[in-house]
Amino acid sequence: PHNHNDLGSLMIVDQNDNTPISDPGRGEYCKDTFDTEKRYTIFMNGSQGHSVPIINGKYQVEGIENKAESVEIGEDFFSLDIQGGYEDGVINKIHRIFKFNEDSVVMTDEFELSESTESICERFISQSMPRIEDGLVTLGNTRMIFEKGNKYTGQYETPFGFLYVGVTTNDMNVKVNDDGGSIELDYYVQ
């Protein structure tokens, strides 16, 4: 098989060809690449290496039957439903929309939860080391502000105009030192 579990994945490329939100591309082909038990444990092939939601702590699943649905392309938008990439029943719907404005692109994720939905983690892959300071996450020249209880709309310059992403932070817990650490964010992206 030749496939990556990356339904709905995105990249942000700025005017200087920097990619604050990136795709890892392809890795080195090896024996495990063609092993059906191991292929999607490889970062480049599985959704753990792509900017897609993690539902209930689980990544997208493999298989030709797991595909995007309701793909629509209009003059000023592109949208698709990506719940088909996840185990049946963990979520009813994930509708990812890209709206193209004169000088911007706005990405919105709409979720319809199921009785089995316990958690949703929006994950963004970056090759830039994040700088974290007082609720501000900076990836290269791209900034995302996480401030408990407040909404922040970030503007990202791309070759096609600006991408606006709204972030409302419900809760955050930052434990970072020189040896590493963790950042736990509970937030809504629009």
Side-chain angles (χ1 to χ4, degrees):
H2 185 85
N3 181 44
H4 291 194
N5 292 344
D6 59 357
L7 290 181
S9 189
L10 70 134
M11 292 178 58
I12 296 176
V13 181
D14 71 16
Q15 64 190 23
N16 298 314
D17 289 331
N18 297 311
T19 52
I21 304 296
S22 59
D23 182 287
R26 65 168 177 84
E28 182 177 311
Y29 287 97
C30 63
K31 179 181 168 187
D32 289 350
T33 305
F34 302 98
D35 183 325
T36 56
E37 297 293 319
K38 298 180 181 177
R39 176 171 177 76
Y40 298 103
T41 64
I42 299 171
F43 185 77
M44 308 294 190
N45 299 340
S47 65
Q48 65 270 28
H50 295 87
S51 297
V52 297
I54 300 169
I55 310 298
N56 294 349
K58 296 182 180 179
Y59 303 122
Q60 291 180 352
V61 294
E62 71 275 0
I64 196 166
E65 67 279 2
N66 301 307
K67 58 189 175 193
E69 299 171 347
S70 302
V71 176
E72 294 185 48
I73 301 171
E75 190 172 308
D76 63 350
F77 77 96
F78 171 75
S79 69
L80 67 167
D81 293 341
I82 61 173
Q83 69 277 356
Y86 298 87
E87 288 180 8
D88 286 340
V90 298
I91 194 152
N92 289 337
K93 190 170 193 174
I94 306 172
H95 188 64
R96 182 163 271 190
I97 307 159
F98 297 91
K99 173 85 167 114
F100 307 106
N101 299 312
E102 186 174 318
D103 63 349
S104 68
V105 179
V106 177
M107 184 195 92
T108 302
D109 278 348
E110 298 174 349
F111 298 93
E112 183 181 306
L113 309 182
S114 74
E115 289 182 14
S116 300
T117 307
E118 297 173 5
S119 66
I120 298 172
C121 174
E122 286 278 15
R123 177 181 216 165
F124 297 101
I125 302 297
S126 178
Q127 295 177 8
S128 301
M129 177 65 80
R131 291 189 314 272
I132 303 154
E133 184 178 308
D134 299 325
L136 175 69
V137 178
T138 304
L139 300 168
N141 294 326
T142 301
R143 295 181 174 183
M144 296 177 81
I145 296 177
F146 298 94
E147 188 175 42
K148 188 174 179 178
N150 289 326
K151 180 177 181 178
Y152 169 75
T153 301
Q155 174 178 303
Y156 309 100
E157 190 165 354
T158 76
F160 305 101
F162 290 97
L163 169 68
Y164 292 95
V165 178
V167 177
T168 301
T169 305
N170 298 318
D171 198 9
M172 64 183 286
N173 186 8
V174 178
K175 296 177 186 173
V176 177
N177 59 37
D178 292 337
D179 298 321
S182 67
I183 305 169
E184 296 175 9
L185 296 168
D186 175 7
Y187 63 98
Y188 173 78
V189 175
Q190 179 179 14

